[in-house]
Amino acid sequence: MMDLCDYKQIQALLSSTEGFRFSKAKGQNFLTARWVPERIAEECGLDGHTGVVEIGPGIGCLTEQLALRAGKVMAFEVDELLKPVLSVTMAPYDNVEIVFGDVMRRDLRREVEENLGGLRPVLCANLPYNITTPVLTHIYEARCFDTVTVMVQKEVAERMCAHAGQKDYGTFTLLTQWYAEPELLFTVDPECFMPRPKVTSAVVRLAMRKAPPVDTDEKSLFRVVRAAFNMRRKTLVNALEGVCGKEKARAAVVACGFSETVRGEALTLEEFAALTETVMNY
Ligand code: SAM
């Protein structure tokens, strides 16, 4: 069996691949520390009844660990130059399907229904860091996964898991927590990749919610949230001026029991939902 995290083996595989160069634009930082894909796959809680969607298999080091534990793995890879490598490295695994193309253009809910039917659907990936936020939003909006376990930049992981009042708390925190309950599992140093990224990474597991945690209109809620964090340093009353006018904003903030000088960063998701309801009903 090949060791897909071994530096020399990775180099040998890639040097025989015509035209391949690590692409920054595609976020290509491949894992070279075996314990990392092993631990990520372990944290997914897989068994023969689980179907895994992976984004960006690269040469397949995480894919292999998923294939050893799950019923089926479906992996989306944008870089067609990796086709010959993956056809060799994934040859021993008949439960792996590699689909070449941009995952952002795929209807993930439909892919899961058509290809992982009957299995418990989960997502697992060492994500390309340059498109982390749009990819995660795409995954959230698919609303078809039981859990999502992803490696992202540590800063992004902290943003996803932050609480009201913390410096990392913002729109992406609230979006994440609207769809899921996130947990930061462990960090991974740059030395564990080739080429080495400039940042530390972290693995987050998201238990996806079956229903939103609060009963409010999602579009209106995130209009209020975005306005609040676009002008983070302003009071909520001033930040919401563009949404509903200053007087209505002041009345809604006070009616919800907050001081007129409160800032958006102090409000929990539930409090933002209550404020949204009040703004809409004035
Ligand atoms: N899974 C491998 C590992 O852990 O070593 C590679 C992870 S690397 C951080 C990200 C992978 O995502 C690369 O293989 C890259 O080509 C792929 N990728 C980047 N953008 C993508 C997209 N839009 N759709 C599918 N795959 C993408």
Side-chain angles (χ1 to χ4, degrees):
M1 197 162 119
M2 275 183 274
D3 181 353
L4 300 181
C5 286
D6 180 74
Y7 192 86
K8 284 200 177 124
Q9 290 215 16
I10 299 175
Q11 277 192 325
L13 280 166
L14 293 176
S15 61
S16 62
T17 307
E18 222 180 291
F20 182 84
R21 279 219 171 85
F22 284 102
S23 158
K24 233 184 186 179
K26 294 190 182 81
Q28 287 176 336
N29 300 95
F30 293 176
L31 281 163
T32 54
R34 196 176 176 75
W35 69 269
V36 183
E38 282 177 358
R39 174 135 184 227
I40 295 174
E42 271 306 301
E43 296 285 4
C44 291
L46 308 174
D47 60 28
H49 302 290
T50 318
V52 189
V53 169
E54 187 193 0
I55 296 171
I59 66 162
C61 70
L62 177 59
T63 325
E64 174 179 64
Q65 295 302 324
L66 299 170
L68 289 168
R69 293 166 174 83
K72 183 169 177 190
V73 182
M74 189 184 190
F76 294 95
E77 174 55 64
V78 78
D79 192 345
E80 299 223 8
L81 290 173
L82 292 168
K83 228 180 218 174
V85 181
L86 282 164
S87 71
V88 172
T89 59
M90 292 301 109
Y93 306 101
D94 60 6
N95 60 344
V96 174
E97 184 183 344
I98 308 280
V99 180
F100 286 91
D102 180 353
V103 74
M104 295 300 290
R105 293 173 180 271
R106 295 282 172 162
D107 179 340
L108 289 175
R109 173 179 277 271
R110 215 178 72 199
E111 298 285 354
V112 164
E113 276 166 11
E114 289 178 1
N115 299 294
L116 300 178
L119 298 170
R120 182 175 70 89
V122 306
L123 186 137
C124 180
N126 169 14
L127 286 176
Y129 291 173
N130 46 334
I131 53 166
T132 307
T133 310
V135 167
L136 279 170
T137 306
H138 189 54
I139 295 167
Y140 296 163
E141 288 176 348
R143 283 192 186 279
C144 61
F145 297 106
D146 198 32
T147 61
V148 168
T149 307
V150 283
M151 181 143 66
V152 295
Q153 284 185 35
K154 185 165 162 264
E155 287 69 21
V156 177
E158 285 167 349
R159 229 180 292 151
M160 292 163 78
C161 302
H163 298 289
Q166 292 181 334
K167 75 171 169 39
D168 304 307
Y169 190 68
T171 304
F172 196 58
T173 313
L174 288 158
L175 188 74
T176 299
Q177 296 180 12
W178 172 259
Y179 285 99
E181 290 175 80
E183 184 187 358
L184 199 157
L185 298 176
F186 59 96
T187 58
V188 179
D189 290 336
E191 293 71 44
C192 296
F193 300 83
M194 76 180 275
R196 289 182 186 179
K198 290 197 175 76
V199 293
T200 299
S201 304
V203 176
V204 179
R205 184 175 51 217
L206 301 149
M208 304 308 289
R209 299 185 194 277
K210 301 278 173 267
V214 276
D215 184 22
T216 193
D217 175 60
E218 181 178 347
K219 264 202 180 137
S220 309
L221 170 69
F222 282 98
R223 222 181 132 212
V224 169
V225 167
R226 283 200 177 88
F229 287 102
N230 272 349
M231 298 186 225
R232 219 185 155 92
R233 302 184 72 87
K234 285 197 177 182
T235 64
L236 202 45
V237 170
N238 285 334
L240 292 185
E241 189 176 354
V243 174
C244 56
K246 201 158 173 177
E247 280 323 303
K248 210 169 158 181
R250 193 193 314 279
V253 165
V254 171
C256 286
F258 302 115
S259 129
E260 280 188 30
T261 57
V262 75
R263 293 205 172 99
E265 62 204 25
L267 270 63
T268 63
L269 182 59
E270 289 72 18
E271 288 169 336
F272 265 115
L275 180 65
T276 305
E277 289 293 311
T278 313
V279 165
M280 285 193 311
N281 290 326
Y282 260 92

